Amino acid sequence: MKVVLADYGAGNLRSVCSGLARAGAEPVVTSDPAEVAAASLAIVAGVGHSARAAAGLGPLADVLRERVAGGRPVFGICVGLQLLFEQSDEGGEGLGLLAGRVRRLEAPTVPHMGWNELAFTRPSRILEGLDGADVYFAHSYAVQPDDEKLVVARIDHAGAVVAAVEEGVVAGVQFHPERSGAAGARALENVLQWSRSA
C-alpha cells in the first residue's frame, strides 16, 4: 500500500520509512500535495520544534485537513501527533484535526527521553497487543485532548502523560515506533491495518 510521509523539512523520516517498509508498506517522503492527497495513508512524523514543523507543512496542512474531512486516514508520530491538535505552548497552531492543546511536560526531567510502559485506557486498533509494552519516547511536550475519550494509552512520567490517541480516521502516538524494537514494529503493522479500515 502507498504511504506518504509529509515532508516539512525536519524529522527522522528515513528510519520511519524503513520501519514501514518492513511492515509491508511502500513509503514515500514527499512535499507534493497531490501525492499526499492520493495516498492510502498520510503520516506526519518527526522530531523538533512544533511551530517550525507547523510552518514547514505549508500547503500540505490543507491537504491533510481535506483528507480527514473526506474520511481518509492521517497518522501522527511524536511532533506529528502534537500537530494533529489545535494549539501548542511551544508556539504556533496545529492542524486542528483534534480538539485540545499541547503543553510542556511538568516533570523533574524534561525532556523525557527513554523507555516507558504503555497503559491502555480503552481498546485500540493502532496499539493492539501492546498493552504493557515498553516503547521509546523523546519529547518535552505532550497533548492534552479536550475529550478524554480520544486517549487510548498513557504512560507515567512524574504523572500521567498521553501516549496515543485514536478517533475515526485520525490517530497518533507520542512515542517513536521506529525506535521501539519489536513493539514499535507491531505498532506500525497495526497502523497499516487500521488505515485500511479507518
Side-chain angles (χ1 to χ4, degrees):
M1 71 183 285
K2 175 91 174 277
V3 175
V4 297
L5 285 83
D7 186 1
Y8 57 86
N12 54 335
L13 302 185
R14 184 174 298 175
S15 57
V16 177
C17 281
S18 296
L20 287 165
R22 286 192 295 272
E26 298 175 20
V28 175
V29 177
T30 184
S31 58
D32 181 351
E35 278 195 288
V36 173
S40 301
L41 169 64
I43 295 178
V44 184
V47 296
H49 190 276
S50 179
R52 285 194 292 271
L57 281 174
L60 297 183
D62 285 337
V63 175
L64 291 165
R65 293 185 187 104
E66 289 165 6
R67 282 185 63 92
V68 171
R72 310 199 64 209
V74 172
F75 182 73
I77 297 173
C78 195
V79 170
L81 164 65
Q82 296 172 17
L83 288 174
L84 301 179
F85 287 81
E86 296 167 313
Q87 297 280 339
S88 174
D89 287 355
E90 195 173 18
E93 294 186 2
L95 293 166
L97 301 177
L98 299 171
R101 292 190 62 89
V102 179
R103 304 276 190 193
R104 183 170 173 80
L105 290 172
E106 296 182 6
T109 305
V110 177
H112 166 218
M113 300 185 71
W115 298 80
N116 279 86
E117 182 178 305
L118 294 173
F120 281 16
T121 59
R122 64 178 175 90
S124 166
R125 289 184 291 166
I126 62 170
L127 298 180
E128 184 178 349
L130 295 175
D131 193 9
D134 284 327
V135 291
Y136 186 82
F137 291 80
H139 63 121
S140 298
Y141 292 80
V143 300
Q144 292 188 356
D146 287 353
D147 186 352
E148 287 298 311
K149 293 178 182 176
L150 295 178
V151 180
V152 295
R154 296 184 184 276
I155 58 160
D156 179 31
H157 181 65
V161 175
V162 174
V165 301
E166 186 178 330
E167 175 67 21
V169 295
V170 182
V173 295
Q174 185 61 65
F175 63 89
H176 287 272
E178 76 282 5
R179 299 179 66 183
S180 296
R186 173 71 183 269
L188 290 176
E189 291 170 3
N190 287 345
V191 167
L192 296 181
Q193 184 62 37
W194 161 80
S195 72
R196 294 185 183 101
S197 59

